[in-house]
Structures are given as C-alpha cells and as structure tokens.
Amino acid sequence: MHYGNIKKLDIADGDGVRVTLFVSGCRNRCENCFQPETWDFDYGKPFTEETVQELLAALQPSYVDGLTLLGGEPFEPENQRELVKLLRRVRKVYPKKDVWSYSGYTLEQICGDGHPHCEVTAEMLSMIDVLVDGRFVEALKDVSLKFRGSSNQRIIDLKQTKVAGKIVLYCE
C-alpha cells in the first residue's frame, strides 16, 4: 500500500483534532475529485512500519481525538488488507480514540458480495466509529456541509448502526 499524505493536526475530516492518513488507490474516480493523483495505487510513499510508528506517535497527545482514513479509497481491498493491521494497533494502543473513514462506496456496497468487499472488510468496519460514505457528486456539491462534499454522502455512526440493525446517521 502507498499513501499520499499524513496530516497530524486535521480539523476538517472528522470531529475534533485528528490525525489523517490519505491512502493511495481508487477505482471510483469521481468527477472533480479533490485529489485525483491518489487514484494511482503507487502514488506517494510506501506504507511501512515507520509510517505506522509515525501515526501512532502523532495520535499520542491527549488533544488528538482520533484517526481519519481517506484517500484515494481506504476500502479498496488492497488498502483494507493493510489498514486493518493499522487499526488493530491503533485500537490496542489508543482504545479511547475514535476512527473515522471516508469511502466513495456506500456501506451497502462495502458489505455486499462484490467489490470492494474482501476477507477483512467486516473486521475493518468493526474498528471504525464513523463512516462518511458515497461518491462525491459534482451536481450535489454543497460547501456548507460539514465533513462531506456532496449532499448524497452520509455520515454514518457505525457503532449505533450495528446496535440498531439499520443505518443510524451521526449527529454532530
């Protein structure tokens, strides 16, 4: 897996102060994507143990609320297989920090039988608190929306969704 960027003090991609990992690789290729360079799976730097250590260190301060995964596309199977390992470590070291993820796929697509579902999808979803799902749609772009770019995208509370057995939207 490769990544394009790490933001250590991000306040735009989830509640509070966040550490944000921008992974590389995306098959969605949304029109007017804000980071089309991240569509390439080889864009940026290789994701290594040193990268994991950098992320864990950045998450350490008490004022950091959690980790956000975006891209590119975290739910491409190639990325899921690496990200699930990272999430296991984050959950072990920082069990009280929350995890947000963005995806151009809907939760229904992620959980379905086809792409992008793979052998680690359920485990990855179990370690994510909030999922912002759905493709960016230029015709539905709305700069007044918090934490998303277009009005079709949902901010899903995955923990409450699991309890309720139906989609529960995150309340800001």
Side-chain angles (χ1 to χ4, degrees):
M1 182 176 88
H2 282 71
Y3 71 98
N5 194 12
I6 294 172
K7 288 186 180 178
K8 295 183 181 173
L9 297 171
D10 185 3
I11 59 169
D13 297 309
D15 259 346
V17 178
R18 318 209 50 83
V19 174
T20 303
L21 173 65
F22 293 80
V23 300
S24 297
C26 182
R27 292 179 178 92
N28 281 313
R29 300 178 180 239
C30 300
E31 180 184 357
N32 293 321
C33 170
F34 79 108
Q35 294 195 117
E37 63 276 6
T38 65
W39 296 350
D40 181 351
F41 282 86
D42 294 321
Y43 172 75
K45 302 174 188 171
F47 188 81
T48 64
E49 178 59 27
E50 290 75 26
T51 312
V52 172
Q53 292 304 318
E54 179 181 354
L55 289 164
L56 291 173
L59 284 163
Q60 192 275 329
S62 60
Y63 59 81
V64 174
D65 295 287
L67 175 69
T68 298
L69 306 173
L70 47 89
E73 175 57 61
F75 281 92
E76 293 294 358
E78 300 88 331
N79 293 335
Q80 289 182 59
R81 292 179 181 109
E82 291 302 316
L83 290 173
V84 77
K85 296 174 197 173
L86 169 66
L87 292 178
R88 288 177 193 140
R89 293 189 56 193
V90 168
R91 288 299 188 195
K92 182 177 180 181
V93 176
Y94 303 112
K96 295 187 185 209
K97 307 253 182 190
D98 65 2
V99 176
W100 284 51
S101 185
Y102 285 72
S103 179
Y105 298 108
T106 64
L107 181 58
E108 293 83 0
Q109 289 171 313
I110 293 167
C111 293
D113 291 332
H115 185 84
H117 190 86
C118 72
E119 72 281 359
V120 297
T121 302
E123 182 182 3
M124 184 166 157
L125 283 169
S126 77
M127 294 185 279
I128 295 171
D129 298 291
V130 177
L131 175 70
V132 181
D133 80 339
R135 295 171 61 92
F136 170 74
V137 178
E138 179 69 30
L140 300 175
K141 180 178 178 177
D142 183 346
V143 296
S144 71
L145 296 171
K146 195 170 185 182
F147 306 133
R148 55 201 170 124
S150 57
S151 61
N152 62 297
Q153 295 171 310
R154 302 176 295 184
I155 305 173
I156 301 171
D157 183 325
L158 287 180
K159 302 301 180 193
Q160 291 302 313
T161 292
K162 184 176 181 179
V163 170
K166 63 179 183 175
I167 301 285
V168 176
L169 298 180
Y170 178 80
C171 298
E172 299 169 30

